[in-house]
Every structure is written in structure tokens, then in C-alpha cells.
Amino acid sequence: MLKGKVVGTIVSTNKLDSLVGFKFLEVRIIENDVLTDKYIVAVDRTVSAGIGEEVLVTTGSAARRATGCPDTPVDAMIVGVVDKHQN
């Protein structure tokens, strides 16, 4: 699982039918509590994350399973919003 910060939205009007209803977000990856120069596009179907929020992202087959539709071509999915950060 990855931690990141939502930095933008991506609009895609033409996409596979299995992706209709998914919100695409650009997430900047956080490693060791530091924003990196790495970005990932993740889908958000149920969490309703917004720009500026820290999120938890699952990737790979776990992301596909999290959609509820294992045949959906999803490689990264937001599965949680970080409420507060503690060291």
C-alpha cells in the first residue's frame, strides 16, 4: 500500500464501459513522510477523496479486487483518506 497526496483530477470522457463512474485522481507519492517526485493515477470509486488530502492507495491485483469488478483494468485505487498523521 502507498501513501500519497491528491494533487489533481483527470477527466476522461471516452473510456471503457467498465470504468464509467470512476473518478480519476493524480496522486503524488509520499515516502518517509516526504513528498516525492513520483506520481500515480488512481481511481476513487467510494472514498470521495479531494485535492490536498492524504490518501492510502492499493495497487496491482488488490486494486482490481477492490473495485468489486475483477476484470476492470485498474492498477491503483484509493482505499482510504488519512484523518490525521502521527509520528
Side-chain angles (χ1 to χ4, degrees):
M1 193 168 310
L2 303 170
K3 184 168 74 167
K5 183 175 185 176
V6 178
V7 294
T9 59
I10 296 174
V11 177
S12 174
T13 53
N14 287 331
K15 56 190 163 212
L16 292 174
D17 289 342
S18 61
L19 294 173
V20 172
F22 286 73
K23 181 167 66 170
F24 296 86
L25 298 175
E26 185 174 17
V27 178
R28 188 171 180 186
I29 302 301
I30 298 171
E31 293 177 351
N32 299 318
D33 294 325
V34 177
L35 285 170
T36 68
D37 290 333
K38 300 175 191 174
Y39 293 82
I40 191 168
V41 175
V43 297
D44 180 355
R45 189 169 189 189
T46 58
V47 176
S48 298
I51 294 175
E53 291 187 295
E54 286 190 8
V55 293
L56 300 174
V57 180
T58 190
T59 58
S61 61
R64 277 193 312 280
R65 283 194 299 275
T67 68
C69 305
D71 294 331
T72 301
V74 170
D75 193 45
M77 184 165 184
I78 295 173
V79 295
V81 174
V82 177
D83 292 330
K84 61 181 177 178
H85 183 86
Q86 294 179 337
N87 285 332

PDB file of all heavy atoms in Angstrom, residues 36-78:
ATOM      1  N   THR A  36       7.464  12.961  -2.769  1.00  0.00           N
ATOM      2  CA  THR A  36       8.479  12.607  -3.761  1.00  0.00           C
ATOM      3  C   THR A  36       8.122  13.246  -5.102  1.00  0.00           C
ATOM      4  O   THR A  36       7.108  13.933  -5.225  1.00  0.00           O
ATOM      5  CB  THR A  36       8.561  11.077  -3.937  1.00  0.00           C
ATOM      6  OG1 THR A  36       7.345  10.633  -4.550  1.00  0.00           O
ATOM      7  CG2 THR A  36       8.777  10.381  -2.606  1.00  0.00           C
ATOM      8  N   ASP A  37       8.943  12.978  -6.101  1.00  0.00           N
ATOM      9  CA  ASP A  37       8.648  13.416  -7.467  1.00  0.00           C
ATOM     10  C   ASP A  37       7.930  12.324  -8.246  1.00  0.00           C
ATOM     11  O   ASP A  37       7.860  12.371  -9.464  1.00  0.00           O
ATOM     12  CB  ASP A  37       9.946  13.805  -8.193  1.00  0.00           C
ATOM     13  CG  ASP A  37      10.543  15.091  -7.639  1.00  0.00           C
ATOM     14  OD1 ASP A  37       9.778  15.928  -7.118  1.00  0.00           O
ATOM     15  OD2 ASP A  37      11.767  15.258  -7.733  1.00  0.00           O
ATOM     16  N   LYS A  38       7.372  11.342  -7.540  1.00  0.00           N
ATOM     17  CA  LYS A  38       6.656  10.235  -8.176  1.00  0.00           C
ATOM     18  C   LYS A  38       5.152  10.511  -8.112  1.00  0.00           C
ATOM     19  O   LYS A  38       4.639  10.960  -7.090  1.00  0.00           O
ATOM     20  CB  LYS A  38       6.943   8.916  -7.455  1.00  0.00           C
ATOM     21  CG  LYS A  38       8.401   8.523  -7.438  1.00  0.00           C
ATOM     22  CD  LYS A  38       8.584   7.269  -6.608  1.00  0.00           C
ATOM     23  CE  LYS A  38      10.041   6.994  -6.337  1.00  0.00           C
ATOM     24  NZ  LYS A  38      10.213   5.866  -5.416  1.00  0.00           N
ATOM     25  N   TYR A  39       4.502  10.225  -9.230  1.00  0.00           N
ATOM     26  CA  TYR A  39       3.056  10.421  -9.324  1.00  0.00           C
ATOM     27  C   TYR A  39       2.407   9.144  -9.812  1.00  0.00           C
ATOM     28  O   TYR A  39       3.023   8.349 -10.495  1.00  0.00           O
ATOM     29  CB  TYR A  39       2.730  11.553 -10.303  1.00  0.00           C
ATOM     30  CG  TYR A  39       3.186  12.909  -9.830  1.00  0.00           C
ATOM     31  CD1 TYR A  39       4.507  13.315 -10.000  1.00  0.00           C
ATOM     32  CD2 TYR A  39       2.299  13.774  -9.214  1.00  0.00           C
ATOM     33  CE1 TYR A  39       4.931  14.561  -9.569  1.00  0.00           C
ATOM     34  CE2 TYR A  39       2.714  15.024  -8.781  1.00  0.00           C
ATOM     35  CZ  TYR A  39       4.029  15.409  -8.966  1.00  0.00           C
ATOM     36  OH  TYR A  39       4.441  16.632  -8.522  1.00  0.00           O
ATOM     37  N   ILE A  40       1.129   8.972  -9.479  1.00  0.00           N
ATOM     38  CA  ILE A  40       0.368   7.826  -9.934  1.00  0.00           C
ATOM     39  C   ILE A  40      -1.057   8.302 -10.189  1.00  0.00           C
ATOM     40  O   ILE A  40      -1.540   9.233  -9.536  1.00  0.00           O
ATOM     41  CB  ILE A  40       0.411   6.682  -8.886  1.00  0.00           C
ATOM     42  CG1 ILE A  40      -0.141   5.398  -9.457  1.00  0.00           C
ATOM     43  CG2 ILE A  40      -0.285   7.066  -7.610  1.00  0.00           C
ATOM     44  CD1 ILE A  40       0.128   4.172  -8.585  1.00  0.00           C
ATOM     45  N   VAL A  41      -1.704   7.690 -11.159  1.00  0.00           N
ATOM     46  CA  VAL A  41      -3.123   7.941 -11.391  1.00  0.00           C
ATOM     47  C   VAL A  41      -3.878   6.819 -10.696  1.00  0.00           C
ATOM     48  O   VAL A  41      -3.625   5.636 -10.944  1.00  0.00           O
ATOM     49  CB  VAL A  41      -3.464   7.968 -12.892  1.00  0.00           C
ATOM     50  CG1 VAL A  41      -4.973   8.109 -13.088  1.00  0.00           C
ATOM     51  CG2 VAL A  41      -2.723   9.100 -13.577  1.00  0.00           C
ATOM     52  N   ALA A  42      -4.774   7.191  -9.802  1.00  0.00           N
ATOM     53  CA  ALA A  42      -5.547   6.204  -9.048  1.00  0.00           C
ATOM     54  C   ALA A  42      -7.024   6.497  -9.199  1.00  0.00           C
ATOM     55  O   ALA A  42      -7.420   7.665  -9.339  1.00  0.00           O
ATOM     56  CB  ALA A  42      -5.154   6.241  -7.564  1.00  0.00           C
ATOM     57  N   VAL A  43      -7.837   5.456  -9.176  1.00  0.00           N
ATOM     58  CA  VAL A  43      -9.278   5.659  -9.240  1.00  0.00           C
ATOM     59  C   VAL A  43      -9.848   5.739  -7.834  1.00  0.00           C
ATOM     60  O   VAL A  43      -9.310   5.182  -6.882  1.00  0.00           O
ATOM     61  CB  VAL A  43      -9.987   4.548 -10.048  1.00  0.00           C
ATOM     62  CG1 VAL A  43      -9.524   4.544 -11.476  1.00  0.00           C
ATOM     63  CG2 VAL A  43      -9.815   3.204  -9.418  1.00  0.00           C
ATOM     64  N   ASP A  44     -10.927   6.486  -7.737  1.00  0.00           N
ATOM     65  CA  ASP A  44     -11.646   6.638  -6.468  1.00  0.00           C
ATOM     66  C   ASP A  44     -13.106   6.375  -6.776  1.00  0.00           C
ATOM     67  O   ASP A  44     -13.743   7.139  -7.491  1.00  0.00           O
ATOM     68  CB  ASP A  44     -11.441   8.051  -5.924  1.00  0.00           C
ATOM     69  CG  ASP A  44     -12.153   8.295  -4.605  1.00  0.00           C
ATOM     70  OD1 ASP A  44     -12.895   7.405  -4.146  1.00  0.00           O
ATOM     71  OD2 ASP A  44     -11.976   9.376  -4.040  1.00  0.00           O
ATOM     72  N   ARG A  45     -13.598   5.286  -6.260  1.00  0.00           N
ATOM     73  CA  ARG A  45     -14.994   4.921  -6.540  1.00  0.00           C
ATOM     74  C   ARG A  45     -15.906   5.176  -5.350  1.00  0.00           C
ATOM     75  O   ARG A  45     -17.075   5.471  -5.526  1.00  0.00           O
ATOM     76  CB  ARG A  45     -15.058   3.452  -6.939  1.00  0.00           C
ATOM     77  CG  ARG A  45     -16.402   3.048  -7.453  1.00  0.00           C
ATOM     78  CD  ARG A  45     -16.351   1.696  -8.084  1.00  0.00           C
ATOM     79  NE  ARG A  45     -17.612   1.413  -8.751  1.00  0.00           N
ATOM     80  CZ  ARG A  45     -17.914   0.253  -9.230  1.00  0.00           C
ATOM     81  NH1 ARG A  45     -17.066  -0.738  -9.146  1.00  0.00           N
ATOM     82  NH2 ARG A  45     -19.073   0.065  -9.814  1.00  0.00           N
ATOM     83  N   THR A  46     -15.375   5.076  -4.141  1.00  0.00           N
ATOM     84  CA  THR A  46     -16.254   5.179  -2.968  1.00  0.00           C
ATOM     85  C   THR A  46     -15.736   6.093  -1.867  1.00  0.00           C
ATOM     86  O   THR A  46     -16.490   6.455  -0.976  1.00  0.00           O
ATOM     87  CB  THR A  46     -16.482   3.788  -2.349  1.00  0.00           C
ATOM     88  OG1 THR A  46     -15.217   3.228  -2.006  1.00  0.00           O
ATOM     89  CG2 THR A  46     -17.191   2.867  -3.312  1.00  0.00           C
ATOM     90  N   VAL A  47     -14.469   6.467  -1.904  1.00  0.00           N
ATOM     91  CA  VAL A  47     -13.871   7.213  -0.792  1.00  0.00           C
ATOM     92  C   VAL A  47     -14.168   8.707  -0.879  1.00  0.00           C
ATOM     93  O   VAL A  47     -14.251   9.388   0.123  1.00  0.00           O
ATOM     94  CB  VAL A  47     -12.344   6.952  -0.744  1.00  0.00           C
ATOM     95  CG1 VAL A  47     -11.676   7.773   0.333  1.00  0.00           C
ATOM     96  CG2 VAL A  47     -12.083   5.474  -0.514  1.00  0.00           C
ATOM     97  N   SER A  48     -14.318   9.243  -2.073  1.00  0.00           N
ATOM     98  CA  SER A  48     -14.583  10.670  -2.317  1.00  0.00           C
ATOM     99  C   SER A  48     -13.454  11.562  -1.820  1.00  0.00           C
ATOM    100  O   SER A  48     -13.688  12.573  -1.161  1.00  0.00           O
ATOM    101  CB  SER A  48     -15.915  11.098  -1.698  1.00  0.00           C
ATOM    102  OG  SER A  48     -16.977  10.386  -2.281  1.00  0.00           O
ATOM    103  N   ALA A  49     -12.223  11.186  -2.134  1.00  0.00           N
ATOM    104  CA  ALA A  49     -11.064  11.996  -1.764  1.00  0.00           C
ATOM    105  C   ALA A  49     -11.045  13.273  -2.597  1.00  0.00           C
ATOM    106  O   ALA A  49     -11.530  13.304  -3.729  1.00  0.00           O
ATOM    107  CB  ALA A  49      -9.776  11.203  -1.990  1.00  0.00           C
ATOM    108  N   GLY A  50     -10.460  14.312  -2.028  1.00  0.00           N
ATOM    109  CA  GLY A  50     -10.372  15.591  -2.720  1.00  0.00           C
ATOM    110  C   GLY A  50      -8.948  16.078  -2.825  1.00  0.00           C
ATOM    111  O   GLY A  50      -8.034  15.560  -2.159  1.00  0.00           O
ATOM    112  N   ILE A  51      -8.746  17.100  -3.627  1.00  0.00           N
ATOM    113  CA  ILE A  51      -7.423  17.688  -3.810  1.00  0.00           C
ATOM    114  C   ILE A  51      -6.904  18.191  -2.462  1.00  0.00           C
ATOM    115  O   ILE A  51      -7.629  18.817  -1.694  1.00  0.00           O
ATOM    116  CB  ILE A  51      -7.476  18.818  -4.851  1.00  0.00           C
ATOM    117  CG1 ILE A  51      -7.802  18.218  -6.219  1.00  0.00           C
ATOM    118  CG2 ILE A  51      -6.164  19.591  -4.903  1.00  0.00           C
ATOM    119  CD1 ILE A  51      -8.009  19.232  -7.320  1.00  0.00           C
ATOM    120  N   GLY A  52      -5.642  17.873  -2.188  1.00  0.00           N
ATOM    121  CA  GLY A  52      -4.999  18.292  -0.946  1.00  0.00           C
ATOM    122  C   GLY A  52      -5.055  17.253   0.162  1.00  0.00           C
ATOM    123  O   GLY A  52      -4.356  17.383   1.157  1.00  0.00           O
ATOM    124  N   GLU A  53      -5.874  16.223   0.000  1.00  0.00           N
ATOM    125  CA  GLU A  53      -5.987  15.206   1.044  1.00  0.00           C
ATOM    126  C   GLU A  53      -4.928  14.126   0.881  1.00  0.00           C
ATOM    127  O   GLU A  53      -4.551  13.770  -0.234  1.00  0.00           O
ATOM    128  CB  GLU A  53      -7.371  14.557   1.010  1.00  0.00           C
ATOM    129  CG  GLU A  53      -8.469  15.491   1.445  1.00  0.00           C
ATOM    130  CD  GLU A  53      -9.798  14.789   1.574  1.00  0.00           C
ATOM    131  OE1 GLU A  53     -10.330  14.321   0.545  1.00  0.00           O
ATOM    132  OE2 GLU A  53     -10.309  14.723   2.715  1.00  0.00           O
ATOM    133  N   GLU A  54      -4.448  13.629   2.026  1.00  0.00           N
ATOM    134  CA  GLU A  54      -3.552  12.469   2.016  1.00  0.00           C
ATOM    135  C   GLU A  54      -4.411  11.220   1.942  1.00  0.00           C
ATOM    136  O   GLU A  54      -5.437  11.114   2.625  1.00  0.00           O
ATOM    137  CB  GLU A  54      -2.667  12.438   3.270  1.00  0.00           C
ATOM    138  CG  GLU A  54      -1.565  13.463   3.236  1.00  0.00           C
ATOM    139  CD  GLU A  54      -0.552  13.274   4.357  1.00  0.00           C
ATOM    140  OE1 GLU A  54      -0.602  12.261   5.079  1.00  0.00           O
ATOM    141  OE2 GLU A  54       0.307  14.160   4.493  1.00  0.00           O
ATOM    142  N   VAL A  55      -3.984  10.283   1.093  1.00  0.00           N
ATOM    143  CA  VAL A  55      -4.787   9.087   0.845  1.00  0.00           C
ATOM    144  C   VAL A  55      -3.933   7.833   0.918  1.00  0.00           C
ATOM    145  O   VAL A  55      -2.709   7.889   0.812  1.00  0.00           O
ATOM    146  CB  VAL A  55      -5.472   9.164  -0.534  1.00  0.00           C
ATOM    147  CG1 VAL A  55      -6.506  10.269  -0.570  1.00  0.00           C
ATOM    148  CG2 VAL A  55      -4.455   9.343  -1.664  1.00  0.00           C
ATOM    149  N   LEU A  56      -4.612   6.707   1.069  1.00  0.00           N
ATOM    150  CA  LEU A  56      -3.989   5.393   1.001  1.00  0.00           C
ATOM    151  C   LEU A  56      -4.378   4.774  -0.329  1.00  0.00           C
ATOM    152  O   LEU A  56      -5.555   4.820  -0.720  1.00  0.00           O
ATOM    153  CB  LEU A  56      -4.467   4.513   2.155  1.00  0.00           C
ATOM    154  CG  LEU A  56      -4.161   5.052   3.544  1.00  0.00           C
ATOM    155  CD1 LEU A  56      -4.806   4.166   4.610  1.00  0.00           C
ATOM    156  CD2 LEU A  56      -2.663   5.147   3.761  1.00  0.00           C
ATOM    157  N   VAL A  57      -3.390   4.222  -1.029  1.00  0.00           N
ATOM    158  CA  VAL A  57      -3.610   3.678  -2.364  1.00  0.00           C
ATOM    159  C   VAL A  57      -3.144   2.232  -2.388  1.00  0.00           C
ATOM    160  O   VAL A  57      -2.030   1.922  -1.954  1.00  0.00           O
ATOM    161  CB  VAL A  57      -2.814   4.490  -3.419  1.00  0.00           C
ATOM    162  CG1 VAL A  57      -3.034   3.915  -4.810  1.00  0.00           C
ATOM    163  CG2 VAL A  57      -3.198   5.964  -3.376  1.00  0.00           C
ATOM    164  N   THR A  58      -3.999   1.355  -2.886  1.00  0.00           N
ATOM    165  CA  THR A  58      -3.599  -0.020  -3.110  1.00  0.00           C
ATOM    166  C   THR A  58      -3.365  -0.195  -4.608  1.00  0.00           C
ATOM    167  O   THR A  58      -3.987   0.490  -5.423  1.00  0.00           O
ATOM    168  CB  THR A  58      -4.647  -1.021  -2.580  1.00  0.00           C
ATOM    169  OG1 THR A  58      -4.103  -2.332  -2.620  1.00  0.00           O
ATOM    170  CG2 THR A  58      -5.942  -0.962  -3.342  1.00  0.00           C
ATOM    171  N   THR A  59      -2.451  -1.096  -4.962  1.00  0.00           N
ATOM    172  CA  THR A  59      -2.082  -1.251  -6.364  1.00  0.00           C
ATOM    173  C   THR A  59      -2.154  -2.719  -6.789  1.00  0.00           C
ATOM    174  O   THR A  59      -2.301  -3.617  -5.959  1.00  0.00           O
ATOM    175  CB  THR A  59      -0.648  -0.722  -6.615  1.00  0.00           C
ATOM    176  OG1 THR A  59       0.255  -1.431  -5.772  1.00  0.00           O
ATOM    177  CG2 THR A  59      -0.553   0.767  -6.358  1.00  0.00           C
ATOM    178  N   GLY A  60      -2.041  -2.929  -8.085  1.00  0.00           N
ATOM    179  CA  GLY A  60      -1.999  -4.279  -8.633  1.00  0.00           C
ATOM    180  C   GLY A  60      -3.313  -5.013  -8.516  1.00  0.00           C
ATOM    181  O   GLY A  60      -4.386  -4.419  -8.598  1.00  0.00           O
ATOM    182  N   SER A  61      -3.223  -6.322  -8.313  1.00  0.00           N
ATOM    183  CA  SER A  61      -4.436  -7.140  -8.269  1.00  0.00           C
ATOM    184  C   SER A  61      -5.340  -6.754  -7.099  1.00  0.00           C
ATOM    185  O   SER A  61      -6.563  -6.895  -7.189  1.00  0.00           O
ATOM    186  CB  SER A  61      -4.087  -8.625  -8.204  1.00  0.00           C
ATOM    187  OG  SER A  61      -3.340  -8.912  -7.042  1.00  0.00           O
ATOM    188  N   ALA A  62      -4.771  -6.241  -6.018  1.00  0.00           N
ATOM    189  CA  ALA A  62      -5.596  -5.789  -4.887  1.00  0.00           C
ATOM    190  C   ALA A  62      -6.488  -4.624  -5.314  1.00  0.00           C
ATOM    191  O   ALA A  62      -7.633  -4.515  -4.875  1.00  0.00           O
ATOM    192  CB  ALA A  62      -4.717  -5.392  -3.711  1.00  0.00           C
ATOM    193  N   ALA A  63      -5.977  -3.751  -6.182  1.00  0.00           N
ATOM    194  CA  ALA A  63      -6.775  -2.624  -6.671  1.00  0.00           C
ATOM    195  C   ALA A  63      -7.937  -3.136  -7.530  1.00  0.00           C
ATOM    196  O   ALA A  63      -9.063  -2.647  -7.410  1.00  0.00           O
ATOM    197  CB  ALA A  63      -5.899  -1.665  -7.467  1.00  0.00           C
ATOM    198  N   ARG A  64      -7.661  -4.092  -8.387  1.00  0.00           N
ATOM    199  CA  ARG A  64      -8.736  -4.648  -9.225  1.00  0.00           C
ATOM    200  C   ARG A  64      -9.815  -5.286  -8.357  1.00  0.00           C
ATOM    201  O   ARG A  64     -11.009  -5.102  -8.593  1.00  0.00           O
ATOM    202  CB  ARG A  64      -8.176  -5.682 -10.200  1.00  0.00           C
ATOM    203  CG  ARG A  64      -7.583  -5.086 -11.440  1.00  0.00           C
ATOM    204  CD  ARG A  64      -7.339  -6.116 -12.508  1.00  0.00           C
ATOM    205  NE  ARG A  64      -6.650  -7.320 -12.050  1.00  0.00           N
ATOM    206  CZ  ARG A  64      -5.336  -7.413 -11.864  1.00  0.00           C
ATOM    207  NH1 ARG A  64      -4.573  -6.363 -12.085  1.00  0.00           N
ATOM    208  NH2 ARG A  64      -4.799  -8.530 -11.447  1.00  0.00           N
ATOM    209  N   ARG A  65      -9.401  -6.043  -7.351  1.00  0.00           N
ATOM    210  CA  ARG A  65     -10.383  -6.683  -6.466  1.00  0.00           C
ATOM    211  C   ARG A  65     -11.180  -5.640  -5.688  1.00  0.00           C
ATOM    212  O   ARG A  65     -12.363  -5.827  -5.434  1.00  0.00           O
ATOM    213  CB  ARG A  65      -9.693  -7.651  -5.518  1.00  0.00           C
ATOM    214  CG  ARG A  65      -9.321  -8.956  -6.192  1.00  0.00           C
ATOM    215  CD  ARG A  65      -8.958 -10.035  -5.191  1.00  0.00           C
ATOM    216  NE  ARG A  65      -7.814  -9.706  -4.359  1.00  0.00           N
ATOM    217  CZ  ARG A  65      -6.547  -9.907  -4.684  1.00  0.00           C
ATOM    218  NH1 ARG A  65      -6.246 -10.438  -5.848  1.00  0.00           N
ATOM    219  NH2 ARG A  65      -5.573  -9.592  -3.863  1.00  0.00           N
ATOM    220  N   ALA A  66     -10.537  -4.546  -5.315  1.00  0.00           N
ATOM    221  CA  ALA A  66     -11.211  -3.504  -4.528  1.00  0.00           C
ATOM    222  C   ALA A  66     -12.324  -2.820  -5.322  1.00  0.00           C
ATOM    223  O   ALA A  66     -13.238  -2.254  -4.733  1.00  0.00           O
ATOM    224  CB  ALA A  66     -10.200  -2.474  -4.038  1.00  0.00           C
ATOM    225  N   THR A  67     -12.269  -2.876  -6.642  1.00  0.00           N
ATOM    226  CA  THR A  67     -13.326  -2.269  -7.455  1.00  0.00           C
ATOM    227  C   THR A  67     -14.628  -3.045  -7.368  1.00  0.00           C
ATOM    228  O   THR A  67     -15.685  -2.512  -7.663  1.00  0.00           O
ATOM    229  CB  THR A  67     -12.922  -2.187  -8.944  1.00  0.00           C
ATOM    230  OG1 THR A  67     -12.843  -3.504  -9.478  1.00  0.00           O
ATOM    231  CG2 THR A  67     -11.639  -1.421  -9.145  1.00  0.00           C
ATOM    232  N   GLY A  68     -14.541  -4.311  -6.994  1.00  0.00           N
ATOM    233  CA  GLY A  68     -15.717  -5.162  -6.994  1.00  0.00           C
ATOM    234  C   GLY A  68     -15.962  -5.805  -8.348  1.00  0.00           C
ATOM    235  O   GLY A  68     -16.869  -6.607  -8.503  1.00  0.00           O
ATOM    236  N   CYS A  69     -15.151  -5.431  -9.319  1.00  0.00           N
ATOM    237  CA  CYS A  69     -15.239  -5.981 -10.684  1.00  0.00           C
ATOM    238  C   CYS A  69     -13.834  -6.404 -11.091  1.00  0.00           C
ATOM    239  O   CYS A  69     -13.075  -5.602 -11.643  1.00  0.00           O
ATOM    240  CB  CYS A  69     -15.767  -4.936 -11.654  1.00  0.00           C
ATOM    241  SG  CYS A  69     -17.340  -4.216 -11.177  1.00  0.00           S
ATOM    242  N   PRO A  70     -13.431  -7.633 -10.802  1.00  0.00           N
ATOM    243  CA  PRO A  70     -12.044  -8.048 -11.000  1.00  0.00           C
ATOM    244  C   PRO A  70     -11.536  -7.980 -12.439  1.00  0.00           C
ATOM    245  O   PRO A  70     -10.338  -8.044 -12.665  1.00  0.00           O
ATOM    246  CB  PRO A  70     -12.003  -9.478 -10.474  1.00  0.00           C
ATOM    247  CG  PRO A  70     -13.405  -9.903 -10.298  1.00  0.00           C
ATOM    248  CD  PRO A  70     -14.255  -8.687 -10.236  1.00  0.00           C
ATOM    249  N   ASP A  71     -12.427  -7.814 -13.419  1.00  0.00           N
ATOM    250  CA  ASP A  71     -11.985  -7.688 -14.807  1.00  0.00           C
ATOM    251  C   ASP A  71     -11.758  -6.241 -15.227  1.00  0.00           C
ATOM    252  O   ASP A  71     -11.373  -5.973 -16.363  1.00  0.00           O
ATOM    253  CB  ASP A  71     -12.997  -8.344 -15.747  1.00  0.00           C
ATOM    254  CG  ASP A  71     -13.060  -9.851 -15.553  1.00  0.00           C
ATOM    255  OD1 ASP A  71     -12.023 -10.432 -15.159  1.00  0.00           O
ATOM    256  OD2 ASP A  71     -14.128 -10.430 -15.785  1.00  0.00           O
ATOM    257  N   THR A  72     -12.009  -5.293 -14.333  1.00  0.00           N
ATOM    258  CA  THR A  72     -11.814  -3.877 -14.640  1.00  0.00           C
ATOM    259  C   THR A  72     -10.315  -3.564 -14.685  1.00  0.00           C
ATOM    260  O   THR A  72      -9.578  -3.948 -13.777  1.00  0.00           O
ATOM    261  CB  THR A  72     -12.503  -3.000 -13.574  1.00  0.00           C
ATOM    262  OG1 THR A  72     -13.884  -3.321 -13.562  1.00  0.00           O
ATOM    263  CG2 THR A  72     -12.336  -1.536 -13.869  1.00  0.00           C
ATOM    264  N   PRO A  73      -9.849  -2.867 -15.729  1.00  0.00           N
ATOM    265  CA  PRO A  73      -8.416  -2.585 -15.857  1.00  0.00           C
ATOM    266  C   PRO A  73      -7.968  -1.429 -14.960  1.00  0.00           C
ATOM    267  O   PRO A  73      -7.694  -0.320 -15.418  1.00  0.00           O
ATOM    268  CB  PRO A  73      -8.268  -2.239 -17.342  1.00  0.00           C
ATOM    269  CG  PRO A  73      -9.583  -1.651 -17.709  1.00  0.00           C
ATOM    270  CD  PRO A  73     -10.605  -2.398 -16.891  1.00  0.00           C
ATOM    271  N   VAL A  74      -7.906  -1.699 -13.672  1.00  0.00           N
ATOM    272  CA  VAL A  74      -7.482  -0.695 -12.686  1.00  0.00           C
ATOM    273  C   VAL A  74      -6.181  -1.170 -12.049  1.00  0.00           C
ATOM    274  O   VAL A  74      -6.079  -2.313 -11.612  1.00  0.00           O
ATOM    275  CB  VAL A  74      -8.576  -0.499 -11.608  1.00  0.00           C
ATOM    276  CG1 VAL A  74      -8.059   0.334 -10.455  1.00  0.00           C
ATOM    277  CG2 VAL A  74      -9.804   0.140 -12.224  1.00  0.00           C
ATOM    278  N   ASP A  75      -5.185  -0.285 -12.013  1.00  0.00           N
ATOM    279  CA  ASP A  75      -3.884  -0.628 -11.455  1.00  0.00           C
ATOM    280  C   ASP A  75      -3.643   0.025 -10.095  1.00  0.00           C
ATOM    281  O   ASP A  75      -2.779  -0.394  -9.350  1.00  0.00           O
ATOM    282  CB  ASP A  75      -2.783  -0.206 -12.429  1.00  0.00           C
ATOM    283  CG  ASP A  75      -1.446  -0.800 -12.065  1.00  0.00           C
ATOM    284  OD1 ASP A  75      -1.405  -2.002 -11.758  1.00  0.00           O
ATOM    285  OD2 ASP A  75      -0.449  -0.059 -12.084  1.00  0.00           O
ATOM    286  N   ALA A  76      -4.413   1.080  -9.777  1.00  0.00           N
ATOM    287  CA  ALA A  76      -4.258   1.763  -8.487  1.00  0.00           C
ATOM    288  C   ALA A  76      -5.614   2.306  -8.063  1.00  0.00           C
ATOM    289  O   ALA A  76      -6.331   2.906  -8.865  1.00  0.00           O
ATOM    290  CB  ALA A  76      -3.244   2.895  -8.600  1.00  0.00           C
ATOM    291  N   MET A  77      -5.943   2.093  -6.783  1.00  0.00           N
ATOM    292  CA  MET A  77      -7.236   2.550  -6.277  1.00  0.00           C
ATOM    293  C   MET A  77      -7.082   3.159  -4.895  1.00  0.00           C
ATOM    294  O   MET A  77      -6.399   2.614  -4.030  1.00  0.00           O
ATOM    295  CB  MET A  77      -8.224   1.393  -6.209  1.00  0.00           C
ATOM    296  CG  MET A  77      -9.598   1.823  -5.774  1.00  0.00           C
ATOM    297  SD  MET A  77     -10.788   0.547  -6.131  1.00  0.00           S
ATOM    298  CE  MET A  77     -12.284   1.368  -5.642  1.00  0.00           C
ATOM    299  N   ILE A  78      -7.728   4.299  -4.705  1.00  0.00           N
ATOM    300  CA  ILE A  78      -7.724   4.950  -3.393  1.00  0.00           C
ATOM    301  C   ILE A  78      -8.691   4.190  -2.497  1.00  0.00           C
ATOM    302  O   ILE A  78      -9.857   4.004  -2.844  1.00  0.00           O
ATOM    303  CB  ILE A  78      -8.120   6.430  -3.524  1.00  0.00           C
ATOM    304  CG1 ILE A  78      -7.039   7.154  -4.325  1.00  0.00           C
ATOM    305  CG2 ILE A  78      -8.319   7.066  -2.154  1.00  0.00           C
ATOM    306  CD1 ILE A  78      -7.359   8.575  -4.681  1.00  0.00           C
TER     307      ILE A  78
END
